[in-house]
Amino acid sequence: LKPSGFTHLVLDQAVRGFSNVPATAPMPCGHCHRMSKETQRLAKKLAVSSAFSLVAGYTDVITLVRWHGLSTMMTGNLVLFGCSMLPTHPFVPHEKGYYLTLIATFFCGVVAYRIAEALLPNRGASRLGLVLAIVMLSVEAALCVRPLGAGDGHYMLAGLTPMFGMLTAACTTGKLGVPVNLMTGHLTTIGITLATACTRRSLTPAERVKALQSLFVVASTFAGAGLGAAMVTM
């Protein structure tokens, strides 16, 4: 990824300062090369986190409409589980065991990722991702062969949640270093950064990069949710 124009300027300004060289100071060739690498690395992280967030937002809208459950956000499933414990829960059509199953399979995806990485360093996630992708594809293929009515086959969602458990663990503990499906945390980061900029009027490069990544994640999740809603209405 080689950003250019305005995008390159924004990314370069976000990472500027890692070596404490003033913006107006002339930069030696070696420094320019290093800044270029940092800018490209940030661009790659933003692209990957945005893509994952887009998929997460899209998938959650589809699964919530189709099966009244969430594939990536376990906080939502835990809330739905709590609602299902009420004597009457008109907004939660499924039983308690369904939401516990979704949370458990997501958790299994997280554990499986760590075990795979321990057994096959730097390759475990790829191998496990291939297996879980086949499971997800099988679920969609089954739906294409035998379409289900509204509310039927909702336990099929348990075939999707392990993949997103693995993805969340990989994004959080891997080189990306950020969960792509926790909007509350990203909105908090953006709010704190905005308040800091208003009061202190200067941000460290690390704060700028963190806020920029949160902005991309939030915007991509909104875009994914909008795309999912558009697909549902078509």
Side-chain angles (χ1 to χ4, degrees):
L1 295 172
K2 294 184 179 180
S4 59
F6 177 75
T7 303
H8 185 283
L9 177 62
V10 171
L11 297 179
D12 189 63
Q13 288 298 320
V15 300
R16 183 180 293 279
F18 282 166
S19 57
N20 298 322
V21 177
T24 56
M27 295 184 183
C29 183
H31 177 79
C32 293
H33 179 67
R34 181 152 47 88
M35 287 297 294
S36 176
K37 281 189 175 181
E38 289 168 355
T39 301
Q40 291 180 27
R41 183 163 57 248
L42 175 59
K44 184 176 181 179
K45 289 180 65 175
L46 292 177
V48 172
S49 60
S50 297
F52 286 160
S53 300
L54 182 75
V55 172
Y58 175 86
T59 306
D60 272 338
V61 169
I62 299 297
T63 58
L64 185 61
V65 172
R66 180 188 285 176
W67 291 313
H68 300 92
L70 297 166
S71 56
T72 72
M73 290 186 285
M74 294 304 106
T75 302
N77 285 330
L78 189 59
V79 171
L80 292 173
F81 167 75
C83 293
S84 69
M85 297 177 68
L86 298 172
T88 57
H89 44 85
F91 301 109
V92 184
H94 299 308
E95 64 280 3
K96 298 183 287 294
Y98 170 60
Y99 297 106
L100 286 178
T101 300
L102 298 182
I103 295 171
T105 50
F106 182 93
F107 178 77
C108 289
V110 175
V111 175
Y113 163 76
R114 293 303 298 169
I115 293 176
E117 277 295 299
L119 296 177
L120 298 170
N122 300 321
R123 293 179 296 154
S126 300
R127 301 288 178 85
L128 179 62
L130 178 61
V131 174
L132 295 180
I134 292 174
V135 173
M136 292 178 66
L137 183 61
S138 300
V139 170
E140 290 300 322
L143 291 174
C144 291
V145 173
R146 183 178 177 273
L148 300 173
D152 294 334
H154 50 284
Y155 273 92
M156 282 189 170
L157 181 53
L160 308 184
T161 48
M163 169 63 89
F164 289 100
M166 186 213 73
L167 181 63
T168 300
C171 292
T172 304
T173 62
K175 293 183 179 180
L176 199 59
V178 58
V180 295
N181 56 349
L182 300 180
M183 290 303 99
T184 302
H186 289 296
L187 289 173
T188 301
T189 297
I190 295 170
I192 290 175
T193 304
L194 180 61
T196 302
C198 292
T199 56
R200 200 173 65 199
R201 297 188 178 182
S202 64
L203 297 172
T204 65
E207 288 174 328
R208 291 198 295 269
V209 169
K210 190 175 180 180
L212 187 61
Q213 194 164 21
S214 292
L215 281 170
F216 271 72
V217 168
V218 171
S220 299
T221 304
F222 269 109
L227 181 61
M231 293 297 102
V232 169
T233 57
M234 290 179 60

